[in-house]
Amino acid sequence: MVGERKGVDTRSVTGHSRYRAVLLMGAPGSGKGTQGGILGQIPGFYHFAMGDALRVINIRSDLGKIFYEYTSRGELVPDDVVIKFWAKNLDAHATLGDFKPDDDLLILDGIPRTVNQARVLQQHIQVQRIIHLVCRDENAMFERLRRRALKENRADDADEKVIRRRMKVYEDATRPVLEFYSKDIVAEVESVGSPARVLSQILTVLAPLQDQHFSGKLE
Ligand code: ADP
């Protein structure tokens, strides 16, 4: 499967070569994390948030130091580091069994964040839909990030200069990822309104995917 372990056929862990996946995309503060967290509670979805996975790394480890060096400035962690960590991490979840590739649709939040990451990920995932959360109100996004800084103690949300840098990095490096995929699979969802309202729009797009999968299993 996704890991690159020397001498081990990692495919044998799950028997999968490419996971069925949905990408959650949107600028910082667009509500990806909130929606991903809710979706992850629904049977048949497995939510993987790259930022959350990176944040739990011990900050004193070599990887933790690299992570901190980039995120504290609002920059992206280098692609090779992120992809390797992502693959190993997901592999571990599939082995532990909380992620069940046969049953679960993988909801990826925060990866891919560059076109190069998208290209490499093609070997590992089969992207079925992209949910593009759109928030045209920059003030609302800043406000969300400020609230999150207080609630989750995130240094990268507390500093306005760092937030601005992350917005710019999103525009320059991450938005082009949307063009890497076919337009037909991209669904734009306005991320204004209550989480329930936004969720209902997302589920309108994703529920049919799950219906197909479940009915396929019953046949
Ligand atoms: P947000 O929710 O504000 O968009 P995340 O929690 O997803 O932010 O990510 C926090 C930080 O972690 C990013 O600003 C970046 O430094 C790093 N990061 C997360 N995912 C990736 C990725 N796919 N590639 C490179 N860096 C990443």
Side-chain angles (χ1 to χ4, degrees):
M1 60 134 282
V2 289
E4 267 177 68
R5 285 210 231 105
K6 283 192 196 97
V8 180
D9 178 7
T10 50
R11 261 165 225 234
S12 60
V13 175
T14 61
H16 271 261
S17 50
R18 287 166 89 218
Y19 298 138
R20 296 182 309 126
V22 165
L23 309 183
L24 262 187
M25 293 198 48
S30 62
K32 280 182 287 115
T34 303
Q35 293 299 326
I38 306 172
L39 288 171
Q41 302 296 314
I42 302 174
F45 293 104
Y46 183 81
H47 173 228
F48 185 96
M50 195 64 226
D52 290 349
L54 288 166
R55 269 185 291 280
V56 296
I57 301 172
N58 181 346
I59 204 116
R60 281 186 221 117
S61 67
D62 289 344
L63 192 56
K65 281 181 198 147
I66 296 176
F67 167 66
Y68 188 75
E69 182 198 330
Y70 287 91
T71 50
S72 59
R73 288 187 280 123
E75 302 293 341
L76 295 180
V77 178
D79 288 346
D80 55 334
V81 177
V82 164
I83 297 276
K84 236 189 236 160
F85 179 68
W86 170 81
K88 269 200 190 155
N89 208 302
L90 201 58
D91 189 6
H93 285 290
T95 307
L96 289 170
D98 54 334
F99 169 43
K100 299 180 185 62
D102 277 337
D103 301 326
D104 296 339
L105 181 61
L106 180 61
I107 308 286
L108 282 182
D109 155 4
I111 187 168
R113 255 181 158 104
T114 64
V115 171
N116 183 43
Q117 288 180 15
R119 214 171 277 131
V120 179
L121 250 66
Q122 287 287 87
Q123 304 158 39
H124 306 304
I125 58 174
Q126 187 200 328
V127 178
Q128 301 197 323
R129 282 284 186 288
I130 298 173
I131 302 289
H132 180 205
L133 286 176
V134 184
C135 180
R136 289 174 229 283
D137 180 353
E138 199 176 82
N139 287 336
M141 291 199 278
F142 267 79
E143 197 40 49
R144 271 189 193 152
L145 293 174
R146 249 181 246 122
R147 258 185 279 140
R148 188 169 71 181
L150 290 174
K151 222 167 90 192
E152 296 175 18
N153 199 19
R154 272 184 60 168
D156 60 340
D157 282 342
D159 184 333
E160 179 146 348
K161 231 173 55 209
V162 177
I163 295 181
R164 290 213 179 273
R165 180 66 199 145
R166 278 162 57 211
M167 299 279 193
K168 170 101 175 72
V169 167
Y170 179 79
E171 287 303 322
D172 295 348
T174 306
R175 191 181 281 278
V177 169
L178 283 164
E179 269 119 63
F180 176 81
Y181 297 98
S182 154
K183 266 200 189 76
D184 302 344
I185 62 167
V186 179
E188 287 214 342
V189 171
E190 291 273 350
S191 72
V192 283
S194 65
R197 173 75 52 211
V198 179
L199 179 68
S200 78
Q201 292 181 67
I202 294 178
L203 286 177
T204 303
V205 179
L206 298 189
L209 278 184
Q210 289 303 68
D211 292 342
Q212 279 164 21
H213 184 65
F214 278 100
S215 60
K217 295 204 115 195
L218 293 175
E219 274 161 15

